[in-house]
Amino acid sequence: MELWFLGTSAGMPISGRNVTSIALRMPQDRGTFWLFDCGEGTQHQLLSTPFRLSRLEKLFITHLHGDHLFGLPGILSSRASLGGTEPLELYGPPGLREFTETALRISETHLGYPLHIREIEEGTVFEDGAFSVEAALLDHRIDSFGYRVVELPRVGALNTRLLAELGVPSGPAYGRLKSGEDVVLEDGRTVRSSNVVGHPIAGRVVVVLGDTKPCPNAVKLAQGADLLVHEATFAHDLADKADEYGHATSVQAAETARDAEVGRLILTHFSSRYKPEDLAVLEAEARNTFLATDAAIELTPYLIPRSSLSE
């Protein structure tokens, strides 16, 4: 799994930084990617990545401010034009359906795939056998959600060397043991699944927060995550301005990461007053509180390994 930041600027793009969007590359066996927010220009940024729009599976909108949303109609249209036929799930606050359907209707955009729009509340918004996604409201000027993506534990590896020593023939018996079923061999011996299957492989937890002031839900949602993405709209000398506009500073983001005991913090959503070369200052401020902090660099992959927090 990897994160790619397609935009890290707050409010409006500047030279060298686009407005907010984040791509999450899913595990290889899934072969898809998810998007979190879709600011104007997102599809242009995707052209500089390995992602194909036809493989976009889910799109999560944190809130309905334009710098997080205005690229959505273009993404939906281009996905159809590029031959996407698989269903696309779109999640976000109430009002998302009206925005999306109005834009598509007025522009006479016809999609060649099913679009399922889910206007969400707090709680679990998606779950299948591999992942779950939980949403929680944050503290911004309008409803703004954070998303907690949890990779569910996987079955441990088969001890094939031990199976060979026991004389278990490869094939269906291996699959039954892997699924937790005990197997009786032709000579009457019973091979127990618990003896030949390793410990479950813990999944990873990634938390992407929308715009927010410091708030209890941010800490709760991020608790124990392997990676937290948190806005840092302002340096800490502008804490009063951050509070006035419903945003957080670099230090406040680090305090949330520290309190939630996450593995890594990546800062994003930087005010347009900060040029790319200024981001080292925000990063350094945050590292004084939470060392494992990086200021996001656009179009750079951030690997999400299985860390000690998830083992």
Short mmCIF file of all heavy atoms in Angstrom, two decimals, residues 238-280:
data_model
loop_
_atom_site.label_atom_id
_atom_site.label_comp_id
_atom_site.label_asym_id
_atom_site.label_seq_id
_atom_site.Cartn_x
_atom_site.Cartn_y
_atom_site.Cartn_z
N LEU A 238 0.72 31.39 13.75
CA LEU A 238 -0.60 31.83 13.28
C LEU A 238 -1.71 30.96 13.87
O LEU A 238 -2.74 30.72 13.23
CB LEU A 238 -0.65 31.82 11.76
CG LEU A 238 0.28 32.82 11.05
CD1 LEU A 238 0.18 32.66 9.54
CD2 LEU A 238 -0.07 34.25 11.47
N ALA A 239 -1.52 30.51 15.11
CA ALA A 239 -2.50 29.64 15.75
C ALA A 239 -3.86 30.34 15.87
O ALA A 239 -4.91 29.70 15.74
CB ALA A 239 -2.00 29.20 17.13
N ASP A 240 -3.87 31.65 16.14
CA ASP A 240 -5.15 32.36 16.26
C ASP A 240 -5.89 32.38 14.93
O ASP A 240 -7.11 32.20 14.89
CB ASP A 240 -4.92 33.80 16.75
CG ASP A 240 -4.49 33.86 18.20
OD1 ASP A 240 -4.67 32.84 18.91
OD2 ASP A 240 -3.96 34.91 18.62
N LYS A 241 -5.18 32.59 13.84
CA LYS A 241 -5.80 32.56 12.52
C LYS A 241 -6.31 31.16 12.18
O LYS A 241 -7.40 31.00 11.62
CB LYS A 241 -4.82 33.03 11.45
CG LYS A 241 -5.41 33.09 10.05
CD LYS A 241 -4.41 33.61 9.03
CE LYS A 241 -4.22 35.12 9.19
NZ LYS A 241 -5.43 35.88 8.80
N ALA A 242 -5.54 30.15 12.55
CA ALA A 242 -5.98 28.78 12.32
C ALA A 242 -7.29 28.51 13.03
O ALA A 242 -8.23 27.93 12.46
CB ALA A 242 -4.90 27.80 12.79
N ASP A 243 -7.38 28.94 14.27
CA ASP A 243 -8.60 28.73 15.05
C ASP A 243 -9.78 29.48 14.42
O ASP A 243 -10.90 28.95 14.33
CB ASP A 243 -8.38 29.19 16.49
CG ASP A 243 -9.60 28.97 17.35
OD1 ASP A 243 -9.90 27.80 17.67
OD2 ASP A 243 -10.27 29.96 17.71
N GLU A 244 -9.54 30.69 13.97
CA GLU A 244 -10.61 31.51 13.38
C GLU A 244 -11.20 30.85 12.14
O GLU A 244 -12.42 30.92 11.91
CB GLU A 244 -10.04 32.88 13.01
CG GLU A 244 -11.05 33.83 12.36
CD GLU A 244 -10.42 35.15 11.96
OE1 GLU A 244 -9.21 35.35 12.23
OE2 GLU A 244 -11.14 35.99 11.36
N TYR A 245 -10.36 30.21 11.34
CA TYR A 245 -10.82 29.63 10.08
C TYR A 245 -11.06 28.12 10.16
O TYR A 245 -11.31 27.48 9.14
CB TYR A 245 -9.82 29.94 8.97
CG TYR A 245 -9.85 31.39 8.56
CD1 TYR A 245 -8.92 32.29 9.06
CD2 TYR A 245 -10.83 31.87 7.69
CE1 TYR A 245 -8.95 33.64 8.70
CE2 TYR A 245 -10.87 33.20 7.32
CZ TYR A 245 -9.93 34.08 7.82
OH TYR A 245 -9.97 35.41 7.46
N GLY A 246 -10.99 27.56 11.36
CA GLY A 246 -11.29 26.14 11.51
C GLY A 246 -10.19 25.22 11.02
O GLY A 246 -10.48 24.14 10.49
N HIS A 247 -8.95 25.63 11.22
CA HIS A 247 -7.81 24.83 10.75
C HIS A 247 -6.86 24.52 11.90
O HIS A 247 -7.08 24.91 13.05
CB HIS A 247 -7.07 25.58 9.64
CG HIS A 247 -7.84 25.63 8.35
ND1 HIS A 247 -8.16 24.51 7.64
CD2 HIS A 247 -8.35 26.69 7.66
CE1 HIS A 247 -8.83 24.85 6.56
NE2 HIS A 247 -8.97 26.17 6.54
N ALA A 248 -5.79 23.80 11.58
CA ALA A 248 -4.79 23.42 12.57
C ALA A 248 -3.42 23.91 12.13
O ALA A 248 -3.17 24.14 10.95
CB ALA A 248 -4.76 21.90 12.73
N THR A 249 -2.54 24.05 13.10
CA THR A 249 -1.15 24.39 12.82
C THR A 249 -0.32 23.12 12.76
O THR A 249 -0.77 22.02 13.11
CB THR A 249 -0.57 25.29 13.92
OG1 THR A 249 -0.43 24.53 15.13
CG2 THR A 249 -1.46 26.49 14.18
N SER A 250 0.92 23.28 12.35
CA SER A 250 1.83 22.13 12.28
C SER A 250 2.02 21.50 13.67
O SER A 250 2.04 20.27 13.80
CB SER A 250 3.17 22.58 11.73
OG SER A 250 3.68 23.68 12.47
N VAL A 251 2.14 22.33 14.69
CA VAL A 251 2.34 21.81 16.05
C VAL A 251 1.09 21.10 16.54
O VAL A 251 1.17 20.03 17.17
CB VAL A 251 2.75 22.95 17.00
CG1 VAL A 251 2.79 22.45 18.45
CG2 VAL A 251 4.10 23.52 16.61
N GLN A 252 -0.07 21.65 16.24
CA GLN A 252 -1.32 21.01 16.67
C GLN A 252 -1.51 19.65 15.99
O GLN A 252 -1.98 18.69 16.61
CB GLN A 252 -2.50 21.93 16.39
CG GLN A 252 -2.53 23.14 17.30
CD GLN A 252 -3.50 24.22 16.84
OE1 GLN A 252 -3.88 24.27 15.67
NE2 GLN A 252 -3.89 25.09 17.76
N ALA A 253 -1.11 19.55 14.73
CA ALA A 253 -1.17 18.26 14.04
C ALA A 253 -0.26 17.26 14.74
O ALA A 253 -0.62 16.09 14.94
CB ALA A 253 -0.77 18.42 12.58
N ALA A 254 0.94 17.71 15.11
CA ALA A 254 1.88 16.83 15.80
C ALA A 254 1.36 16.41 17.16
O ALA A 254 1.57 15.26 17.59
CB ALA A 254 3.23 17.53 15.94
N GLU A 255 0.67 17.30 17.86
CA GLU A 255 0.10 16.95 19.16
C GLU A 255 -0.97 15.87 19.01
O GLU A 255 -1.07 14.95 19.84
CB GLU A 255 -0.47 18.20 19.82
CG GLU A 255 0.61 19.17 20.28
CD GLU A 255 0.06 20.53 20.72
OE1 GLU A 255 -1.12 20.83 20.39
OE2 GLU A 255 0.81 21.29 21.37
N THR A 256 -1.76 15.96 17.95
CA THR A 256 -2.76 14.92 17.69
C THR A 256 -2.08 13.58 17.43
O THR A 256 -2.49 12.54 17.96
CB THR A 256 -3.65 15.31 16.49
OG1 THR A 256 -4.42 16.47 16.84
CG2 THR A 256 -4.60 14.17 16.10
N ALA A 257 -1.03 13.60 16.62
CA ALA A 257 -0.29 12.36 16.32
C ALA A 257 0.31 11.76 17.59
O ALA A 257 0.27 10.54 17.80
CB ALA A 257 0.79 12.64 15.29
N ARG A 258 0.88 12.62 18.42
CA ARG A 258 1.47 12.14 19.68
C ARG A 258 0.41 11.54 20.59
O ARG A 258 0.58 10.44 21.13
CB ARG A 258 2.16 13.32 20.38
CG ARG A 258 2.78 12.99 21.75
CD ARG A 258 3.00 14.26 22.54
NE ARG A 258 1.72 14.96 22.82
CZ ARG A 258 1.62 16.25 23.15
NH1 ARG A 258 2.72 17.00 23.22
NH2 ARG A 258 0.44 16.78 23.40
N ASP A 259 -0.71 12.25 20.76
CA ASP A 259 -1.75 11.79 21.66
C ASP A 259 -2.40 10.51 21.16
O ASP A 259 -2.85 9.68 21.96
CB ASP A 259 -2.81 12.87 21.85
CG ASP A 259 -2.26 14.11 22.56
OD1 ASP A 259 -1.14 14.03 23.12
OD2 ASP A 259 -2.93 15.16 22.53
N ALA A 260 -2.47 10.34 19.85
CA ALA A 260 -3.08 9.15 19.26
C ALA A 260 -2.09 8.00 19.13
O ALA A 260 -2.47 6.89 18.76
CB ALA A 260 -3.67 9.47 17.89
N GLU A 261 -0.81 8.24 19.43
CA GLU A 261 0.23 7.22 19.38
C GLU A 261 0.29 6.55 18.01
O GLU A 261 0.31 5.33 17.89
CB GLU A 261 0.02 6.18 20.49
CG GLU A 261 0.06 6.78 21.88
CD GLU A 261 -0.12 5.74 22.97
OE1 GLU A 261 -1.18 5.08 23.00
OE2 GLU A 261 0.80 5.58 23.78
N VAL A 262 0.35 7.36 16.96
CA VAL A 262 0.43 6.83 15.62
C VAL A 262 1.88 6.48 15.27
O VAL A 262 2.82 6.88 15.97
CB VAL A 262 -0.15 7.82 14.58
CG1 VAL A 262 -1.56 8.24 14.97
CG2 VAL A 262 0.75 9.05 14.42
N GLY A 263 2.05 5.76 14.19
CA GLY A 263 3.39 5.40 13.77
C GLY A 263 4.10 6.50 13.01
O GLY A 263 5.30 6.71 13.17
N ARG A 264 3.33 7.23 12.17
CA ARG A 264 3.93 8.25 11.32
C ARG A 264 2.90 9.32 11.02
O ARG A 264 1.71 9.02 10.86
CB ARG A 264 4.44 7.63 10.02
CG ARG A 264 5.18 8.58 9.10
CD ARG A 264 5.60 7.88 7.82
NE ARG A 264 6.47 8.73 7.00
CZ ARG A 264 6.89 8.40 5.78
NH1 ARG A 264 6.52 7.25 5.23
NH2 ARG A 264 7.67 9.23 5.09
N LEU A 265 3.35 10.55 10.92
CA LEU A 265 2.48 11.69 10.59
C LEU A 265 2.96 12.32 9.29
O LEU A 265 4.16 12.59 9.13
CB LEU A 265 2.54 12.73 11.71
CG LEU A 265 1.91 14.10 11.43
CD1 LEU A 265 0.40 13.99 11.23
CD2 LEU A 265 2.24 15.08 12.56
N ILE A 266 2.02 12.57 8.38
CA ILE A 266 2.33 13.32 7.17
C ILE A 266 1.45 14.56 7.14
O ILE A 266 0.22 14.46 7.22
CB ILE A 266 2.14 12.48 5.89
CG1 ILE A 266 3.02 11.23 5.94
CG2 ILE A 266 2.49 13.32 4.67
CD1 ILE A 266 2.98 10.39 4.69
N LEU A 267 2.08 15.71 7.05
CA LEU A 267 1.39 16.99 7.02
C LEU A 267 1.00 17.35 5.59
O LEU A 267 1.75 17.09 4.65
CB LEU A 267 2.27 18.09 7.59
CG LEU A 267 2.84 17.88 8.99
CD1 LEU A 267 3.80 19.02 9.34
CD2 LEU A 267 1.73 17.77 10.03
N THR A 268 -0.17 18.01 5.44
CA THR A 268 -0.60 18.47 4.13
C THR A 268 -1.51 19.68 4.30
O THR A 268 -1.64 20.21 5.39
CB THR A 268 -1.31 17.34 3.35
OG1 THR A 268 -1.57 17.76 2.01
CG2 THR A 268 -2.62 16.93 4.03
N HIS A 269 -2.10 20.16 3.18
CA HIS A 269 -3.05 21.28 3.19
C HIS A 269 -2.38 22.55 3.73
O HIS A 269 -2.83 23.17 4.69
CB HIS A 269 -4.28 20.92 4.04
CG HIS A 269 -5.48 21.77 3.75
ND1 HIS A 269 -5.78 22.91 4.48
CD2 HIS A 269 -6.46 21.67 2.83
CE1 HIS A 269 -6.89 23.45 4.02
NE2 HIS A 269 -7.33 22.72 3.01
N PHE A 270 -1.31 22.95 3.07
CA PHE A 270 -0.53 24.11 3.49
C PHE A 270 -1.09 25.38 2.86
O PHE A 270 -1.39 25.41 1.66
CB PHE A 270 0.93 23.94 3.08
CG PHE A 270 1.52 22.62 3.50
CD1 PHE A 270 1.87 21.67 2.55
CD2 PHE A 270 1.72 22.33 4.85
CE1 PHE A 270 2.42 20.45 2.92
CE2 PHE A 270 2.27 21.10 5.23
CZ PHE A 270 2.61 20.16 4.26
N SER A 271 -1.20 26.43 3.64
CA SER A 271 -1.65 27.72 3.13
C SER A 271 -0.82 28.14 1.93
O SER A 271 0.39 27.88 1.86
CB SER A 271 -1.55 28.77 4.23
OG SER A 271 -1.70 30.08 3.70
N SER A 272 -1.48 28.85 1.01
CA SER A 272 -0.77 29.31 -0.19
C SER A 272 0.30 30.35 0.14
O SER A 272 1.13 30.68 -0.71
CB SER A 272 -1.78 29.90 -1.19
OG SER A 272 -2.51 30.97 -0.61
N ARG A 273 0.31 30.86 1.37
CA ARG A 273 1.37 31.80 1.77
C ARG A 273 2.73 31.09 1.87
O ARG A 273 3.77 31.74 1.85
CB ARG A 273 1.03 32.47 3.10
CG ARG A 273 1.13 31.57 4.32
CD ARG A 273 0.78 32.29 5.62
NE ARG A 273 -0.56 32.83 5.57
CZ ARG A 273 -0.91 33.99 6.13
NH1 ARG A 273 0.00 34.71 6.78
NH2 ARG A 273 -2.15 34.41 6.06
N TYR A 274 2.70 29.75 2.01
CA TYR A 274 3.94 29.00 2.16
C TYR A 274 4.35 28.41 0.81
O TYR A 274 3.64 27.62 0.21
CB TYR A 274 3.77 27.87 3.18
CG TYR A 274 3.34 28.36 4.54
CD1 TYR A 274 2.09 28.03 5.05
CD2 TYR A 274 4.17 29.18 5.30
CE1 TYR A 274 1.68 28.48 6.29
CE2 TYR A 274 3.77 29.65 6.55
CZ TYR A 274 2.51 29.30 7.03
OH TYR A 274 2.10 29.76 8.26
N LYS A 275 5.51 28.82 0.34
CA LYS A 275 6.06 28.27 -0.88
C LYS A 275 6.67 26.89 -0.58
O LYS A 275 6.92 26.57 0.57
CB LYS A 275 7.11 29.22 -1.46
CG LYS A 275 6.57 30.62 -1.73
CD LYS A 275 5.39 30.57 -2.72
CE LYS A 275 4.88 31.96 -3.04
NZ LYS A 275 4.01 32.50 -1.98
N PRO A 276 6.91 26.08 -1.62
CA PRO A 276 7.46 24.74 -1.36
C PRO A 276 8.70 24.75 -0.47
O PRO A 276 8.86 23.87 0.38
CB PRO A 276 7.75 24.23 -2.77
CG PRO A 276 6.72 24.90 -3.63
CD PRO A 276 6.57 26.28 -3.04
N GLU A 277 9.55 25.74 -0.65
CA GLU A 277 10.78 25.79 0.15
C GLU A 277 10.51 26.15 1.62
O GLU A 277 11.39 25.98 2.48
CB GLU A 277 11.79 26.77 -0.45
CG GLU A 277 11.30 28.20 -0.57
CD GLU A 277 10.60 28.51 -1.89
OE1 GLU A 277 10.14 27.56 -2.57
OE2 GLU A 277 10.51 29.71 -2.23
N ASP A 278 9.30 26.65 1.93
CA ASP A 278 8.96 27.02 3.31
C ASP A 278 8.49 25.84 4.14
O ASP A 278 8.39 25.95 5.37
CB ASP A 278 7.86 28.08 3.32
CG ASP A 278 8.26 29.37 2.62
OD1 ASP A 278 9.46 29.71 2.68
OD2 ASP A 278 7.38 30.02 2.02
N LEU A 279 8.16 24.73 3.49
CA LEU A 279 7.53 23.63 4.20
C LEU A 279 8.47 22.96 5.19
O LEU A 279 8.01 22.33 6.15
CB LEU A 279 6.98 22.60 3.21
CG LEU A 279 5.94 23.14 2.23
CD1 LEU A 279 5.36 22.00 1.41
CD2 LEU A 279 4.84 23.91 2.94
N ALA A 280 9.77 23.11 4.99
CA ALA A 280 10.72 22.55 5.95
C ALA A 280 10.56 23.17 7.33
O ALA A 280 10.80 22.51 8.35
CB ALA A 280 12.15 22.75 5.45
#
